[in-house]
């Protein structure tokens, strides 16, 4: 009797295990947030944009996170999406979409797609160079003010971040050095110095980035991450 | 045999069913009360509204100690809560609240109560006013967390026709919700008793206090919201125009003054000889307390008790193997000013780098605002008439530290095996020990048994008290440019705290107002809402790992991490320093991140499910 029951259960279980009738999402949508073709660097896990797909009962956005170097990558189903850069996300202003004249870009996915999203950053960090003498790291860069009209904003501070891993920003750092926006003599030539503390276990290089905090804007804009031998 | 039994049962069942009983389907249920039974009996209605009172929303309360460690006031000394100090960001959904189920029940109560003509009119009017108070309060709670919300004032009912459109309401303007709260308070005031001895039900005093608080919140959002223009929505669902600030400040001042001038309430001052004791007693003394306006009450042996004392009693005096969870921070402790109205961080070292030596650990905290010892259990002070044992170890002649890693641990010092750390800690990373060097005192119950699991405490949770009304009046008067009045109210609160030199009107600044609320109202659940309405939250909790501020008087100084102050004993026989006390400023090792309050945290995230069900509800900014 128990044996029979056992077999019945097995059969029922097996019968209920029907093959899933949906394939996994297989379309890659990737690209970068750019300004004139140059990637906009942001901090890790802070900035995202939204993809909306209509036709489903519940409307919930897919939040796509932007990586440190401005790139993003998302695995999706084929379909028609709406791409929205939410207001207040990222150290940039959104350009209205050429086709819809709103903040929404229509995005048709049919197979893998690579697309750069053009934005208008308040500033760009150019020509970031890093050097080291002993454990003292020097970073030099140029701040280029991109938005100069009535929407322009001042620099609140410039900060040099150093971390032991490739993730370098306000959260991930072992030492920082800041300079207030008012103290910047020449935005074309900003230099910051910092002494890197001893790290344990010892490593031969550190990762360095310069970040710019803009007044009234939450997310910072960064230079690319530079690995510096000590 | 089994078959017979079956037939007998069958027959009995059949006959049982057909037994003639015409009322078979109309019998009154014996396990629930029906509307018509409830609405003719005052006592039953009281139990209905008691349930509604019980669902009054709170955020930080004595029933939820760990939320007090969410910002910079305290360290959570329990391993399950260390994460509070390791996370940098607050989620956008933090502090979210959306209880339209409760609002519907309040609306149903109001509708039914309005028709209950079997109750005495004055009784009915009071119940009605109480329910309207609770409903207005829910909207106040909603607006301070979410911004403007849909204003639903009748019990909505779905018609099952497939279109829920009639139930969907858009968000109101933030100011309109505040206006609603203020208007309701005016409307219900005449029906409520004007009796300061009623503490756990709505009274005229409570209505005035609520009105003052709501108007003050709206006013400061209007005034200081101008500094964060990003935190607003074009439709006004979030943000109040700056031009409305003065009007709200006037409303707040008038309501607060009406309560103050009624003379029904007063500052608690039953123990004027010991001002710290007096300040602590204000929260646990339930006998004729003139300061308390509205509470959530508890009662021993009724099942409705709270475990604040159980969770937070000093470990060495604990009645169970429990306690010590909430450790006030040095950030808070150093905010209490000196008796000459000046501010100073605690001096641990001389400019030359040597320690400053104290004869007794409590000497470090001498000459400070009496509220300090009323709020915090300091090293060397007493709780339940016994001394707490907070000290972190011995410092030897060569500067090395001898300590242990369990309560009251021993080690060999100078050839003898002796106790080298207090029975209350502080021991870094040991839960329930005073990891910042302090325990919380506010709301701790001195009664025997309050720290036992089987007994717990009946100390009430104070939601409104007279001192806050004075501070609200002072703030409103200051913002309206009347520094004389502001100084008058502020000085009343400060004099009770033992600060004998009154502030001159010229001394009153915004920073003074901010500071006074910080020290008077610590651990009373005001901090988050105050920081939000002044738009200071993103400045003070800015996510940078800055050192402890040396300017506790400044409202804008950052305070993102929790610091501690540990007392050590000197072991150096034959020198004058032997046996003296020195202090070290530390950061507990579990504090690994600096708190960051983002612009998107000013108003909590409204869930996707809510916005799906009601597409008229728009999203909050910066999220």
């Amino acid at each position: 009797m128990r044996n029979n029951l056992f077999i019945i259960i097995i059969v029922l279980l097996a019968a209920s295990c029907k093959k899933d009738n949906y394939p996994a999402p297989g379309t890659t949508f990737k690209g970068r947030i750019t300004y004139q073709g140059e990637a906009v660097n942001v901090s890790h896990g802070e900035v995202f944009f939204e993809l909306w797909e209509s036709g489903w009962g519940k409307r919930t956005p897919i939040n796509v996170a932007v990586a440190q170097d401005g790139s993003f990558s998302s695995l999706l189903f084929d379909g028609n999406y709406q791409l929205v850069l939410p207001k207040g996300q990222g150290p940039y202003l959104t350009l209205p979409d050429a086709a819809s004249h709103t903040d929404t870009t229509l995005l048709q996915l049919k197979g893998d797609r690579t697309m750069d999203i053009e934005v208008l950053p308040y500033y760009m960090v150019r020509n970031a160079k890093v050097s080291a003498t002993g454990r003292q790291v020097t970073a030099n860069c140029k701040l280029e003010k991109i938005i100069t009209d009535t929407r322009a904003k001042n620099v609140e501070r410039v900060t040099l971040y150093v971390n032991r891993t490739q993730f370098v920003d306000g959260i991930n750092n072992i030492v920082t050095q800041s300079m207030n926006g008012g103290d910047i003599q020449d935005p074309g030539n900003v230099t910051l110095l910092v002494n890197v503390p001893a790290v344990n276990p010892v490593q031969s290089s550190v990762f360095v980035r310069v970040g710019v905090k803009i007044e009234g804007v939450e997310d910072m804009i960064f230079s690319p991450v530079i690995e510096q031998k000590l | 045999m089994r078959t017979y039994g079956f037939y007998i049962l069958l027959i009995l069942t059949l006959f049982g069913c057909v037994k003639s009983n015409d009322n078979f389907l109309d019998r009154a249920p014996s396990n629930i009360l029906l509307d018509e039974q409830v609405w003719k009996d005052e006592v039953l209605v009281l139990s209905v509204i008691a349930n509604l009172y019980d669902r009054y929303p709170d955020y930080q309360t004595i029933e939820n100690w760990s939320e007090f460690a969410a910002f910079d006031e305290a360290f959570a000394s329990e391993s399950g809560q260390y994460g509070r100090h390791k996370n940098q960001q607050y989620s956008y959904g933090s502090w979210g609240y959306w209880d339209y189920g409760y609002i519907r029940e309040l609306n149903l109560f109001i509708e039914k109560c309005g028709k209950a003509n079997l109750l005495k009119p004055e009784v009915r009017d009071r119940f009605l006013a109480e329910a309207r108070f609770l409903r207005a309060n829910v909207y106040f709670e909603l607006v301070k967390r979410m911004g403007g919300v849909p204003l639903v004032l009748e019990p909505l009912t779905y018609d099952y026709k497939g279109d829920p459109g009639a139930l969907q309401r858009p968000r109101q303007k933030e100011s309109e919700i505040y206006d609603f709260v203020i208007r309701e308070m005016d409307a219900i005031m005449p029906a409520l008793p004007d009796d300061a001895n009623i503490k756990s039900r709505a009274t005229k005093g409570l209505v005035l206090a609520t009105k003052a608080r709501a108007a003050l919140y709206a006013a400061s959002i209007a005034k200081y919201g101008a500094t964060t223009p990003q935190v607003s929505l074009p439709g006004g669902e979030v943000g109040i125009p700056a031009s409305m600030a003065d009007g709200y400040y006037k409303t707040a001042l008038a309501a607060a003054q009406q309560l103050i001038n009624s003379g029904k309430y007063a500052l608690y001052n039953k123990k004027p000889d010991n001002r710290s004791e007096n300040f602590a007693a204000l929260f646990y003394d339930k006998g004729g307390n003139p300061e308390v306006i509205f509470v959530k009450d508890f009662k021993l042996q009724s099942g409705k008790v709270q475990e604040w004392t159980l969770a937070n009693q000093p470990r060495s005096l604990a009645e169970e193997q429990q306690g010590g969870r909430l450790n006030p921070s040095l950030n808070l402790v150093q905010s209490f000013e000196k008796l000459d109205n000046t501010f100073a961080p605690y001096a641990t070292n001389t400019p030359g780098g040597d320690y400053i030596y104290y004869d007794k650990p409590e000497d470090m905290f001498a000459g400070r605002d009496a509220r300090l010892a009323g709020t915090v259990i300091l090293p060397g002070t007493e709780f339940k008439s016994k001394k707490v044992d907070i000290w972190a170890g011995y410092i030897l002649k060569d500067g090395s530290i001898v300590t242990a890693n369990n309560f009251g641990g021993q080690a060999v010092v100078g050839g003898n095996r002796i106790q080298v750390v207090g029975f209350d800690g502080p021991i870094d990373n040991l839960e329930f020990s005073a990891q910042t060097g302090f325990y919380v005192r506010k709301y701790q119950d001195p009664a025997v048994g309050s720290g036992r699991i089987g007994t717990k405490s009946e100390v009430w949770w104070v939601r409104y008290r007279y001192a806050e009304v004075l501070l609200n009046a002072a703030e409103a008067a200051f913002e309206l440019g009347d520094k004389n009045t502001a100084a008058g109210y502020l000085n009343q609160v400060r004099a009770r705290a033992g600060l004998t030199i009154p502030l001159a009107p010229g001394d009153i600044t915004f920073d003074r107002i901010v500071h006074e609320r910080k020290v008077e109202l610590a651990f009373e659940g005001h901090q988050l809402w105050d920081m939000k309405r002044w738009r200071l939250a993103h400045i003070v909790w800015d996510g940078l790992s800055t050192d402890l501020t040396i300017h506790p008087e400044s409202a804008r100084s950052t305070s993102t991490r929790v610091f501690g102050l540990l007392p050590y004993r000197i072991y150096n026989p034959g020198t004058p320093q032997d046996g003296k006390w020195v202090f070290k400023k530390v950061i507990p090792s579990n504090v690994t991140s600096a708190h960051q309050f983002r612009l998107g945290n000013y108003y909590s995230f409204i869930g996707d499910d809510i916005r799906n069900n009601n597409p008229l509800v728009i999203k909050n900014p910066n999220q």
Side-chain angles (χ1 to χ4, degrees):
Chain A
M1 187 62 196
R2 268 184 68 193
N3 245 339
N4 286 346
L5 208 68
F6 186 68
I7 291 167
I8 290 168
I9 288 173
I10 291 287
V11 170
L12 282 175
L13 280 177
S16 60
C17 289
K18 225 166 73 182
K19 214 178 143 220
D20 200 340
N21 55 356
Y22 272 107
T27 302
T28 309
F29 172 56
K30 63 178 181 180
R32 298 174 306 164
I33 305 282
T34 55
Y35 170 67
Q36 294 180 349
E38 194 175 337
V40 173
N41 285 257
V42 294
S43 72
H44 172 68
E46 292 270 319
V47 181
F48 64 88
F49 61 85
E50 295 174 346
L51 290 178
W52 296 80
E53 190 183 14
S54 55
W56 303 95
K58 298 281 182 188
R59 279 178 60 78
T60 312
I62 300 164
N63 285 351
V64 182
V66 178
Q68 280 197 123
D69 59 356
S71 68
F72 59 85
S73 171
S74 188
L75 210 53
L76 303 160
F77 290 112
D78 283 346
N80 292 320
Y81 293 87
Q82 289 167 314
L83 188 156
V84 179
L85 298 173
K87 211 167 160 254
Q89 279 298 329
Y92 42 69
L93 293 174
T94 317
L95 295 169
D97 181 57
S100 69
H101 299 288
T102 63
D103 63 345
T104 306
T105 308
L106 295 177
L107 179 73
Q108 208 170 37
L109 280 189
K110 214 174 166 188
D112 293 353
R113 179 162 177 186
T114 303
M115 184 180 117
D116 285 350
I117 301 171
E118 188 75 4
V119 295
L120 193 59
Y122 290 98
Y123 286 85
M124 286 294 276
V125 185
R126 308 274 198 199
N127 303 333
K129 286 191 209 68
V130 178
S131 60
T133 34
R135 296 195 74 80
Q136 190 180 58
V137 168
T138 308
N140 184 282
C141 65
K142 178 183 177 203
L143 299 187
E144 189 185 328
K145 196 169 192 170
I146 307 290
I147 302 177
T148 50
D149 56 14
T150 49
R151 299 169 297 174
K153 289 181 190 285
N154 292 325
V155 172
E156 187 178 312
R157 60 181 160 81
V158 183
T159 306
L160 171 63
Y161 294 100
V162 178
N163 199 19
R164 51 190 307 175
T165 70
Q166 290 183 52
F167 294 100
V168 193
D169 53 35
I171 299 178
N172 307 294
N173 62 69
I174 51 171
V175 64
T176 67
Q177 180 63 49
S178 292
M179 181 195 277
N180 285 333
D183 299 339
I184 298 172
Q185 307 288 336
D186 174 14
N189 183 12
V190 178
T191 305
L192 288 157
L193 293 175
V194 71
N195 282 311
V196 181
V199 290
N200 189 21
V202 177
Q203 57 187 51
S204 61
S205 61
V206 288
F207 297 86
V208 183
R209 278 219 283 183
V210 176
V212 180
K213 174 80 173 74
I214 302 146
E215 277 177 7
V217 179
E218 194 157 55
D219 298 314
M220 293 171 69
I221 194 159
F222 287 85
S223 71
V225 177
I226 300 168
E227 183 174 4
Q228 175 62 44
K229 290 252 181 299
L230 290 176
Chain B
M1 192 59 205
R2 271 176 68 190
T3 331
Y4 282 124
F6 177 74
Y7 282 121
I8 290 168
L9 263 180
L10 188 68
I11 287 162
L12 281 176
T13 316
L14 285 174
F15 279 90
C17 282
V18 294
K19 183 172 172 278
S20 83
N21 184 346
D22 298 337
N23 302 328
F24 170 63
L25 291 171
D26 304 325
R27 263 180 292 179
S30 58
N31 57 347
I32 56 164
L33 288 165
L34 299 176
D35 269 357
E36 55 266 31
Q37 290 169 300
V38 170
W39 287 104
K40 63 187 179 194
D41 186 341
E42 200 180 318
V43 178
L44 288 176
V45 179
L46 181 63
S47 68
V48 175
I49 199 143
N51 171 281
L52 296 173
Y53 269 113
D54 196 44
R55 290 153 72 181
Y56 185 102
D58 285 307
Y59 166 49
Q60 294 172 313
T61 85
I62 49 171
E63 293 180 277
N64 186 8
W65 68 269
S66 64
E67 289 294 346
F68 286 108
F71 308 102
D72 59 338
E73 278 186 336
F75 177 79
S77 189
E78 184 194 272
S79 49
Q81 299 288 344
Y82 288 158
R84 292 187 178 277
H85 307 287
K86 300 186 189 224
N87 270 358
Q88 175 141 22
Q89 288 175 342
Y90 302 102
S91 124
Y92 287 139
S94 303
W95 322 299
Y97 177 65
W98 197 268
D99 196 353
Y100 275 87
Y102 182 30
I103 290 175
R104 179 178 157 78
E105 285 189 43
L106 286 163
N107 283 332
L108 279 170
F109 183 97
I110 290 163
E111 189 187 64
K112 288 173 185 170
C113 191
K115 293 181 196 153
N117 42 24
L118 293 171
L119 293 173
K120 276 186 244 151
E122 67 274 15
V123 171
R124 188 186 65 189
D125 288 350
R126 183 178 175 194
F127 282 133
L128 205 53
E130 287 183 291
R132 284 175 72 179
F133 167 77
L134 290 171
R135 183 176 65 182
N137 180 70
V138 177
Y139 278 109
F140 184 16
E141 198 69 22
L142 278 166
V143 71
K144 70 189 192 190
R145 294 168 188 245
M146 322 302 289
V149 292
L151 190 60
V152 180
L153 299 177
E154 71 280 347
L156 297 177
T157 307
Y158 181 46
D159 58 7
Y160 294 97
K161 285 185 183 145
D163 176 19
L167 308 178
Q168 293 170 342
R169 311 279 168 89
R171 296 175 64 180
Q172 301 275 321
K173 286 183 182 172
E174 187 170 15
S175 60
E176 286 170 347
I177 300 290
Y178 279 110
D179 290 343
F180 167 73
V181 176
I182 294 165
R183 216 168 46 231
E184 283 287 281
M185 292 304 130
D186 287 335
I188 63 178
M189 205 180 315
L192 289 170
D194 192 9
D195 182 352
N197 292 317
I198 298 173
K199 307 287 191 195
S200 54
R201 292 178 69 180
T203 56
K204 197 175 168 196
L206 172 60
V207 163
L208 286 169
T210 308
K211 183 179 167 188
R213 191 194 277 182
L216 186 69
Y217 277 31
S220 39
I221 289 165
K223 175 158 185 195
Y224 296 101
T227 61
T228 52
Q230 311 94 309
V231 186
S232 63
L233 287 173
E237 291 88 351
V238 161
I240 299 176
S243 58
M244 295 170 80
D246 271 11
Y248 282 123
Y249 279 126
K250 282 180 187 143
T251 309
L253 182 59
Q257 280 180 329
Q258 196 182 339
L259 185 140
I260 294 164
N261 297 336
S262 76
K264 297 259 175 189
Y265 296 91
L267 290 175
Y268 182 91
N269 222 351
K270 288 192 194 170
K271 301 180 180 176
D273 307 332
N274 185 343
R275 296 191 175 279
S276 295
E277 191 57 47
N278 182 62
F279 189 68
L282 135 66
F283 297 96
Y284 62 72
D285 183 357
K286 290 165 74 167
N289 188 324
E291 174 155 355
V292 168
I293 298 173
F294 183 53
V295 299
K296 175 170 188 180
D297 209 351
F298 297 90
K299 188 162 168 53
L300 286 179
Q301 298 182 333
S302 72
K304 200 152 186 68
V305 287
Q306 47 89 359
E307 38 193 71
W308 177 258
T309 311
L310 177 68
N312 299 309
Q313 58 196 331
R315 182 60 197 240
S316 67
L317 315 172
E319 295 174 298
E320 301 268 4
Q321 297 287 309
Q322 289 252 13
R325 284 179 171 86
L326 196 65
N327 302 164
S329 65
L330 176 57
N331 314 39
L332 175 70
V333 168
Q334 79 165 7
S335 299
F336 290 86
E337 65 209 277
K338 299 204 283 188
L339 289 174
D340 60 358
N341 298 350
T342 61
F343 294 87
Y346 291 101
T348 55
N349 296 78
T350 61
D354 192 14
Y355 290 114
I356 298 175
Y357 297 91
Y358 295 89
D359 289 336
K360 297 192 295 294
E362 57 267 39
D363 290 352
M364 176 62 132
F365 309 98
R368 293 256 172 179
D369 185 335
R371 284 171 292 189
L372 170 58
T375 307
V376 177
I377 297 177
L378 302 161
T381 61
E382 291 184 345
F383 178 66
K384 289 188 183 175
S385 306
K386 288 187 203 120
K387 245 188 175 180
V388 293
D389 193 28
I390 301 176
W391 55 288
Y394 278 107
I395 295 184
L396 305 184
K397 189 177 161 188
D398 61 357
S400 65
I401 291 171
V402 180
T403 183
N405 55 10
N406 56 339
F407 294 106
Q410 299 185 335
V412 177
V413 181
N416 296 321
R417 193 168 173 81
I418 53 170
Q419 184 194 344
V420 293
V421 67
F423 278 96
D424 287 310
I427 299 159
D428 193 39
N429 205 15
L430 179 65
E431 58 177 353
F432 311 148
S433 76
Q435 295 191 51
T436 61
F438 308 107
Y439 283 134
V440 66
R441 178 161 188 203
K442 210 177 240 187
Y443 283 113
Q444 296 253 34
D445 187 352
V448 173
S450 59
R452 289 185 202 146
I453 291 172
T455 312
K456 298 180 186 164
S457 167
E458 62 177 359
V459 165
W460 55 24
W461 164 245
V462 180
R463 288 174 178 141
Y464 283 89
R465 64 187 176 99
Y466 184 64
E468 188 218 336
V469 177
L470 287 174
L471 294 179
N472 290 348
E475 182 179 343
F478 164 76
E479 296 287 2
L480 290 167
D482 185 357
K483 289 189 177 188
N484 257 319
T485 310
Y489 292 135
L490 219 49
N491 283 329
Q492 288 182 37
V493 178
R494 292 168 63 84
R496 193 261 303 264
L499 297 156
T500 44
I501 311 168
L503 291 176
D507 297 337
I508 309 292
T509 58
F510 175 66
D511 286 21
R512 270 281 173 200
I513 303 268
V514 171
H515 163 263
E516 207 59 46
R517 290 182 75 91
K518 184 176 183 179
V519 295
E520 176 76 26
L521 303 173
F523 304 120
E524 294 184 48
H526 287 275
Q527 188 188 23
L528 174 64
W529 317 121
D530 279 348
M531 297 304 271
K532 275 169 58 156
R533 68 189 176 86
W534 290 321
R535 297 294 189 257
L536 284 175
H538 72 291
I539 296 169
V540 171
W541 303 316
D542 65 356
L544 300 179
S545 298
T546 38
D547 201 5
L548 183 66
T549 178
I550 52 166
H551 294 289
E553 75 280 9
S554 162
R556 298 168 71 89
S557 51
T558 57
S559 179
T560 51
R561 294 182 298 170
V562 170
F563 287 82
L565 188 67
L566 309 188
Y568 286 89
R569 240 180 222 176
I570 296 291
Y571 183 84
N572 194 358
T575 63
Q577 283 88 28
D578 185 46
K580 296 214 169 172
W581 295 86
V582 299
F583 287 84
K584 272 175 182 275
K585 187 189 89 181
V586 295
I587 184 150
S589 63
N590 280 303
V591 178
T592 54
S593 271
H595 287 315
Q596 185 183 14
F597 190 99
R598 292 174 288 173
L599 293 174
N601 288 121
Y602 272 107
Y603 292 91
S604 296
F605 182 72
I606 299 177
D608 288 324
D609 52 337
I610 295 163
R611 285 180 294 119
N612 269 316
N613 290 338
N614 182 358
L616 298 177
V617 170
I618 61 165
K619 207 166 146 182
N620 275 330
N622 309 302
Q623 294 174 347

